Amino acid sequence: MSNPQIDVIIPNFNKGNYLKECLDSVIRQTYKNWCLYIIDDCSNDNSKTILKDYENKKNFNVIKLKKNKGPSFCRNLGIRLSKSEYLSFLDSDDFWTKDKLELQIEFMIKNNLEFTYTDYTPFIIKNNKYIYKNKTNLKESFTFNQFIRNSSINSSTMIISRDMLKTNRFKKVALLEDYLFKCDILKNNKIAKKINNSLAYYRILPSNRSANKLLNIYWLWKINGRYNKLSFFDNIQSIFGIMINSVKKYGFK
C-alpha cells in the first residue's frame, strides 16, 4: 500500500475541556503520515493553555485567530494551508480510535475511492463517567439525493481526496455549514462510500449548536431552498427524512 499524507483539520472554539482527548487521539494513530492543522477561533476558555503543550510537536500546526471567524472560516483556512492529497476533519470535542486513519486510507486506496466515511459511537459524560450509546449503522454509500434525506455522514469520520474537493469550500451560514459542504461535494453524480467500521466517538453536548431543533429545521429549509434548489415538496421530504434518522441515532433528546 502507498503511504500518502493525510492532513487533519480541526476547528476549535471554547472546547478546551475536550481538546486534549481530541488531539491525543490523532497523536496515537497507528498511521503516522499525517499533518495536523488546528485553528483556534479566538477562544476565551482554557484552549490556548492546552494548545501551548502541542505547539512544538512534530506535524502540528497551531493557528490562533485574533478574531472569532466561525467554523467555516476555520475549516477553509485549514484547507488552504493543507498541501496533502487527502484531507480529514475532526471536531475538537470528538475523538478517533487509534486505527482510524490506517484502516480508512487503506480502504480508499484499495478501492480507488475519493470520499469515505465511517460509523461512529455517540456518547455522553454523566458524573464523570462515559456513557456510550449504540454505534451507528449507516448506509453503505450516499449520493446527493440520498444524503439530503439522511444526512448521517459525521464530519469527524470523513476523508476526502483533494481531487474530489476541487474548489468546494465551507460556506458562511449560521448553522449546518457541514451539511451544505457535503451536499456541494456530492452534487454532479458523486458518491461517498462507508468503510464498515466504527472509528470515531461523537460527543453529545447540550450546548452543541445543533441542539436547537427548531433553529436547525429553519436553516435546513433555508439551505435546501437557496443552495440545493429543492422544490417545496422535496424540501419537506428532506427535513422529514433527516429528522427521522436523527431520532434513530440519538433518540428524542
Side-chain angles (χ1 to χ4, degrees), residues 202-220:
Y202 170 70
R203 190 185 306 266
I204 300 175
L205 293 170
S207 59
N208 278 356
R209 293 182 309 139
S210 59
N212 190 324
K213 299 297 189 295
L214 289 178
L215 194 59
N216 241 28
I217 291 171
Y218 168 78
W219 276 99
L220 181 58

Side-chain angles (χ1 to χ4, degrees), residues 20 23-24 27 50-57 60:
K20 185 178 188 310
L23 297 176
D24 286 350
I27 292 173
I50 300 296
L51 288 173
K52 283 183 180 179
D53 294 333
Y54 295 88
E55 287 178 335
N56 296 319
K57 287 188 178 293
F60 264 73

Side-chain angles (χ1 to χ4, degrees), residues 58-107:
K58 184 180 179 182
N59 298 333
F60 264 73
N61 297 277
V62 178
I63 299 97
K64 298 177 182 177
L65 302 184
K66 295 182 179 180
K67 184 178 180 180
N68 184 267
K69 295 283 193 177
S72 290
F73 180 92
C74 293
R75 292 191 180 105
N76 289 339
L77 178 58
I79 292 171
R80 181 163 62 85
L81 295 173
S82 165
K83 305 299 180 186
S84 72
E85 182 182 352
Y86 294 93
L87 297 93
S88 61
F89 300 88
L90 178 58
D91 288 344
S92 58
D93 51 354
D94 298 338
F95 59 95
W96 289 338
T97 63
K98 65 181 182 180
D99 54 358
K100 195 265 188 189
L101 293 181
E102 180 178 7
L103 292 177
Q104 196 166 352
I105 197 64
E106 181 179 1
F107 174 73

Side-chain angles (χ1 to χ4, degrees), residues 151-165:
S151 60
S152 293
I153 300 175
N154 189 298
S155 297
S156 290
T157 75
M158 300 189 306
I159 296 181
I160 303 173
S161 75
R162 189 172 295 277
D163 286 343
M164 191 175 201
L165 180 67

Side-chain angles (χ1 to χ4, degrees), residues 12-251:
N12 176 68
F13 178 66
N14 286 350
K15 296 293 175 59
N17 290 339
Y18 320 117
L19 198 49
K20 185 178 188 310
E21 187 169 35
C22 170
L23 297 176
D24 286 350
S25 78
V26 179
I27 292 173
R28 288 194 298 266
Q29 289 299 299
T30 55
Y31 189 85
K32 299 303 181 183
N33 192 13
W34 53 263
C35 183
L36 186 146
Y37 296 85
I38 178 162
I39 296 90
D40 183 74
D41 198 13
C42 197
S43 295
N44 53 32
D45 66 348
N46 63 333
S47 291
K48 291 179 182 178
T49 301
I50 300 296
L51 288 173
K52 283 183 180 179
D53 294 333
Y54 295 88
E55 287 178 335
N56 296 319
K57 287 188 178 293
K58 184 180 179 182
N59 298 333
F60 264 73
N61 297 277
V62 178
I63 299 97
K64 298 177 182 177
L65 302 184
K66 295 182 179 180
K67 184 178 180 180
N68 184 267
K69 295 283 193 177
S72 290
F73 180 92
C74 293
R75 292 191 180 105
N76 289 339
L77 178 58
I79 292 171
R80 181 163 62 85
L81 295 173
S82 165
K83 305 299 180 186
S84 72
E85 182 182 352
Y86 294 93
L87 297 93
S88 61
F89 300 88
L90 178 58
D91 288 344
S92 58
D93 51 354
D94 298 338
F95 59 95
W96 289 338
T97 63
K98 65 181 182 180
D99 54 358
K100 195 265 188 189
L101 293 181
E102 180 178 7
L103 292 177
Q104 196 166 352
I105 197 64
E106 181 179 1
F107 174 73
M108 292 181 74
I109 292 171
K110 181 179 179 180
N111 295 284
N112 194 27
L113 301 173
E114 293 187 304
F115 183 178
T116 63
Y117 59 97
T118 79
D119 282 311
Y120 57 94
T121 303
F123 72 97
I124 60 173
I125 295 181
K126 190 173 183 179
N127 298 324
N128 294 320
K129 292 184 179 180
Y130 285 68
I131 301 174
Y132 296 98
K133 296 180 176 290
N134 293 331
K135 75 176 185 65
T136 58
N137 184 24
L138 305 182
K139 288 167 50 65
E140 295 299 316
S141 63
F142 282 98
T143 62
F144 171 77
N145 286 330
Q146 292 168 332
F147 183 72
I148 59 173
R149 290 168 175 79
N150 178 1
S151 60
S152 293
I153 300 175
N154 189 298
S155 297
S156 290
T157 75
M158 300 189 306
I159 296 181
I160 303 173
S161 75
R162 189 172 295 277
D163 286 343
M164 191 175 201
L165 180 67
K166 294 184 178 178
T167 59
N168 288 308
R169 296 296 182 266
F170 289 86
K171 292 182 172 65
K172 188 177 181 180
V173 291
L175 279 176
L176 306 181
E177 74 287 333
D178 52 344
Y179 166 75
L180 178 54
F181 175 73
K182 295 161 201 169
C183 286
D184 286 343
I185 292 176
L186 289 173
K187 289 173 183 175
N188 302 317
N189 297 317
K190 300 297 184 181
I191 190 167
K193 288 278 192 178
K194 184 182 84 168
I195 172 172
N196 197 22
N197 299 77
S198 181
L199 300 177
Y201 293 90
Y202 170 70
R203 190 185 306 266
I204 300 175
L205 293 170
S207 59
N208 278 356
R209 293 182 309 139
S210 59
N212 190 324
K213 299 297 189 295
L214 289 178
L215 194 59
N216 241 28
I217 291 171
Y218 168 78
W219 276 99
L220 181 58
W221 177 268
K222 192 169 183 177
I223 287 169
N224 277 340
R226 179 177 178 183
Y227 296 102
N228 290 334
K229 309 299 182 185
L230 299 191
S231 68
F232 179 88
F233 179 71
D234 286 339
N235 208 340
I236 291 291
Q237 282 192 319
S238 171
I239 291 171
F240 182 75
I242 287 173
M243 288 174 61
I244 291 297
N245 280 285
S246 179
V247 170
K248 287 179 180 178
K249 288 182 294 183
Y250 309 125

